[in-house]
Amino acid sequence: QVHLAESGGGLVQTGDSLRLSCSASDGTFSTYAMAWFRQCPGEEREFVASIARSGDLTWYADSVKGRFTISRDNAKNTVYLQMNNLRPDDTAVYFCTADPSRAAVLVAKLGKSDYWGQGTQVTVSS
């Protein structure tokens, strides 16, 4: 089982940027479809973005398209989420996930993934 550790969350103002990182313990990182989900206060977890194992294909929730960018560095066992033009409704706990069997497009469509990190808090003030 892969262990995932997110970092980079914090308190920012509307319009600011943040970059989240997620490091995986598993040396087979390149075999996982990686994704980010978030859970806003009082709501269920929702899909944010996913990236194919090779890093050449990405998928995004409509709410973050054009503002967030997911990327990965397989040599560093790390996936990133660059978040620009942050808004108060982006406030949430952000979770990194890894899926050894589903394609990244299915993680996006199904909103499911096998392995989850503990999450990192992102708070955007108005």
Side-chain angles (χ1 to χ4, degrees):
Q1 179 175 346
V2 62
H3 293 282
L4 304 170
E6 303 97 335
S7 61
L11 173 63
V12 297
Q13 295 184 333
T14 297
D16 284 353
S17 298
L18 272 179
R19 188 175 82 154
L20 305 183
S21 299
C22 172
S23 297
S25 63
D26 199 314
T28 58
F29 176 80
S30 64
T31 66
Y32 296 110
M34 300 299 296
W36 290 92
F37 286 71
R38 69 185 182 186
Q39 186 166 18
C40 303
E43 299 182 13
E44 295 186 353
R45 288 181 185 179
E46 64 177 5
F47 167 79
V48 175
S50 63
I51 187 166
R53 289 162 175 79
S54 60
D56 58 344
L57 294 172
T58 56
W59 290 265
Y60 296 94
D62 288 343
S63 59
V64 306
K65 277 181 183 176
R67 299 188 299 122
F68 290 12
T69 302
I70 188 171
S71 62
R72 67 190 295 164
D73 186 336
N74 287 343
K76 295 182 177 180
N77 292 351
T78 302
V79 63
Y80 306 97
L81 185 68
Q82 177 67 43
M83 305 185 293
N84 298 330
N85 193 20
L86 283 160
R87 310 184 306 216
D89 60 358
D90 293 317
T91 294
V93 178
Y94 283 73
F95 298 90
C96 169
T97 76
D99 200 305
S101 57
R102 297 182 184 93
V105 62
L106 287 180
V107 172
K109 290 184 180 297
L110 299 175
K112 294 181 178 180
S113 193
D114 280 356
Y115 301 120
W116 294 69
Q118 293 299 307
T120 185
Q121 176 71 47
V122 172
T123 303
V124 185
S125 64
S126 57

